[in-house]
Amino acid sequence: MYTFLAGIVLLIIGYFTYGKFIEKLFGVKESRPTPAYVNGDGMDYIPMSTPKNSLIQLLNIAGTGPVFGPIMGALYGPAAFIWIVVGCIFAGAVHDYLTGMISIRNRGAHLPELASKFLGKVMKHIVNGFAVLLLLLVGTVFVSTPASLLHLLADGRVALGIFIAFIFAYYILATMLPVDKIIGRLYPYFGALLLLSAIGVGIGLVVTGAPIPELSFQNFHPEGAAIFPLLFFTISCGALSGFHATQTPIISRTTRKEKEGRKIFYGMMIAEGIIAMIWAAAAMSMFNGYNGLNDILAAGGPGAIVSEASTTLLGAIGGTLAVLGVIILPITSGDTAFRSARMIIADYLKIGQKKFSSRLWIALPLFAVSMILTQIDFELLWRYFNWANQSTAVIALFVGSMYLYIAGKNYFVALIPGTFMLIMVITYILSQPIGFNLPMNISWGGGFIGAALLVVLFFKAAAKARANNIPLEVDVSDWKQAS
């Protein structure tokens, strides 16, 4: 299991080296007041401690992504480990840090506002639609998956519909109440359970000497599904995920100092990468090879893998706790997905959120649409979610690139991973049945040509933005903190 252990070590080293480099490149301003104080409203803008913000951020971004995605990605073999480590350090954590910190500099702005400011006003409407669609898909997927796991845990004795109704009821409360009432109080405990369950499974793999495969670039997928571009959409959370760009503004509005950003944004992405490594390793090593893994996935989905691996490695009690940790993951991302959707729509329509009625009439239609979407096949929803997710990641990375370009700093740290994923996003939608279903050679050509054209447009817009001296941050110099 050298590849597995080395991958985890590299992720930790990445936090202390590349994470520090990105922090220094961005340029932290320790004396600058954050939106938690400048915009304090008792609802969404509330200062909270670094440990609390970090655990909330981890739960916000995690969902079932770093569990279900790596389990399905394990079918490709150790190539999944490579993508998790490289993607997490150089793409995902950079993506999360930049979106979080740029949001802090702009009064906790969400991605559509940032896209409007740095990529043009037309992008505000495009990104707003993308973000709300993505969040609806996330919220729906993260109702279905925990409900299915709870139904499985109860041996079918409780109807699936009851679990779905219970989760929706919780989502409504978490979406409507101030951030420190439910999310701020419960998430630190949920985060501890999540980390303990993942660590328990990881230790179980090491203690039992699980036959985790070593480094290989061979594609082991039983159905021959191509690594490029499919792996990058199968494993998103845990490597690179645009969903995170919709979640970081929640915490950018509760962060006390800019110096806390690396721990909260970059650090929690690294933690998610470690969780992804553990579940990918468990899936690769425990089910008699990739054909056995494929058979169990076909029969019971990733939830069956989670239940079987947890019980085998940790026993009945420990296994149940681990499964509960995995159930909590999607629930604690689903609630913040709906919360983010409410905030994005409110910002877009310029509707204040202090009044309960103002929050209610935005939130209820979102839940109604989501309930309808729960009737659609999960696999189909997951594919559309993955494409919308990585498309959003591309937009967020280009926002980060533009910010750094205007600032006269090394923008390639965001532009290179952004361009890579742009090629994958275009190729994926051109080649897949959910898109245009074109032959792969045509799809790859379209991916490279389309990406090249968009990068040229980016540089033209960037040169114009720098010449016009677009302000990188909102002026808060006139703000005085209350004694």
Side-chain angles (χ1 to χ4, degrees), residues 110-120 123-124 127 395 399:
H110 274 277
L111 184 60
E113 286 185 75
L114 297 178
S116 173
K117 180 174 183 176
F118 294 107
L119 300 180
M123 286 300 295
K124 177 178 181 178
V127 177
I395 293 168
V399 167

Side-chain angles (χ1 to χ4, degrees), residues 332-354:
T332 53
S333 287
D335 59 6
T336 51
F338 285 114
R339 189 179 188 88
S340 294
R342 171 183 64 77
M343 291 159 69
I344 287 173
I345 293 171
D347 290 348
Y348 184 73
L349 299 177
K350 302 188 185 310
I351 299 171
Q353 293 295 280
K354 283 190 176 183

Side-chain angles (χ1 to χ4, degrees), residues 2-269:
Y2 294 115
T3 302
F4 167 65
L5 295 175
I8 291 177
V9 170
L10 285 173
L11 285 169
I12 295 170
I13 292 173
Y15 169 75
F16 289 104
T17 55
Y18 199 67
K20 188 70 176 175
F21 167 74
I22 295 296
E23 179 186 52
K24 187 176 180 180
L25 173 68
F26 184 83
V28 167
K29 298 179 180 179
E30 295 207 47
S31 61
R32 191 177 196 273
T34 61
Y37 299 103
V38 177
N39 295 72
D41 63 359
M43 178 64 194
D44 297 316
Y45 295 87
I46 300 172
M48 295 194 295
S49 69
T50 303
K52 186 176 285 189
N53 276 331
S54 296
L55 287 172
I56 293 172
Q57 172 71 2
L58 176 60
L59 286 167
N60 284 356
I61 66 176
T64 46
V67 180
F68 283 17
I71 285 173
M72 292 187 285
L75 290 170
Y76 292 94
F81 289 148
I82 300 169
W83 168 231
I84 291 169
V85 174
V86 175
C88 188
I89 295 172
F90 298 103
V94 173
H95 167 283
D96 289 16
Y97 182 80
L98 290 178
T99 53
M101 295 303 293
I102 295 171
S103 177
I104 285 176
R105 293 275 175 91
N106 288 272
R107 293 188 180 242
H110 274 277
L111 184 60
E113 286 185 75
L114 297 178
S116 173
K117 180 174 183 176
F118 294 107
L119 300 180
K121 291 183 179 180
V122 174
M123 286 300 295
K124 177 178 181 178
H125 307 297
I126 295 172
V127 177
N128 201 78
F130 246 111
V132 173
L133 171 64
L134 174 61
L135 289 166
L136 269 174
L137 289 173
V138 168
T140 304
V141 167
F142 291 168
V143 168
S144 303
T145 51
S148 299
L149 278 171
L150 284 167
H151 183 65
L152 188 67
L153 201 62
D155 291 328
R157 289 191 293 268
V158 180
L160 182 63
I162 292 176
F163 286 122
I164 290 175
F166 173 79
I167 293 169
F168 265 122
Y170 165 75
Y171 281 179
I172 291 171
L173 288 174
T175 301
M176 301 296 293
L177 294 175
V179 69
D180 62 337
K181 299 303 180 187
I182 292 181
I183 292 173
R185 291 181 181 179
L186 296 181
Y187 273 34
Y189 300 105
F190 290 164
L193 179 58
L194 159 65
L195 290 171
L196 288 173
S197 64
I199 291 169
V201 171
I203 292 173
L205 291 172
V206 175
V207 170
T208 59
I212 302 171
E214 298 298 352
L215 183 64
S216 171
F217 293 95
Q218 182 181 346
N219 184 357
F220 292 95
H221 202 293
E223 297 173 6
I227 290 178
F228 292 87
L230 299 182
L231 176 61
F232 309 103
F233 295 85
T234 306
I235 302 176
S236 51
C237 294
L240 170 66
S241 171
F243 170 63
H244 298 188
T246 68
Q247 300 301 291
T248 50
I250 294 177
I251 303 304
S252 76
R253 299 180 180 196
T254 61
T255 301
R256 297 177 303 180
K257 296 179 180 178
E258 287 193 3
K259 190 68 177 176
E260 299 169 357
R262 183 164 67 98
K263 293 178 183 176
I264 296 170
F265 302 121
Y266 198 101
M268 291 305 100
M269 182 62 214

Side-chain angles (χ1 to χ4, degrees), residues 83 227-230 232-233 240 387 390-395 397-398 414-432 439-456:
W83 168 231
I227 290 178
F228 292 87
L230 299 182
F232 309 103
F233 295 85
L240 170 66
W387 181 75
Q390 299 304 59
S391 298
T392 305
V394 169
I395 293 168
L397 283 167
F398 272 79
L415 185 63
I416 290 174
T419 303
F420 173 80
M421 279 309 303
L422 177 60
I423 295 168
M424 297 300 140
V425 162
I426 297 173
T427 302
Y428 181 88
I429 201 63
L430 290 177
S431 64
Q432 294 304 298
M440 280 307 300
N441 58 341
I442 295 176
S443 299
W444 278 116
F448 278 98
I449 293 171
L453 290 173
L454 289 172
V455 169
V456 169

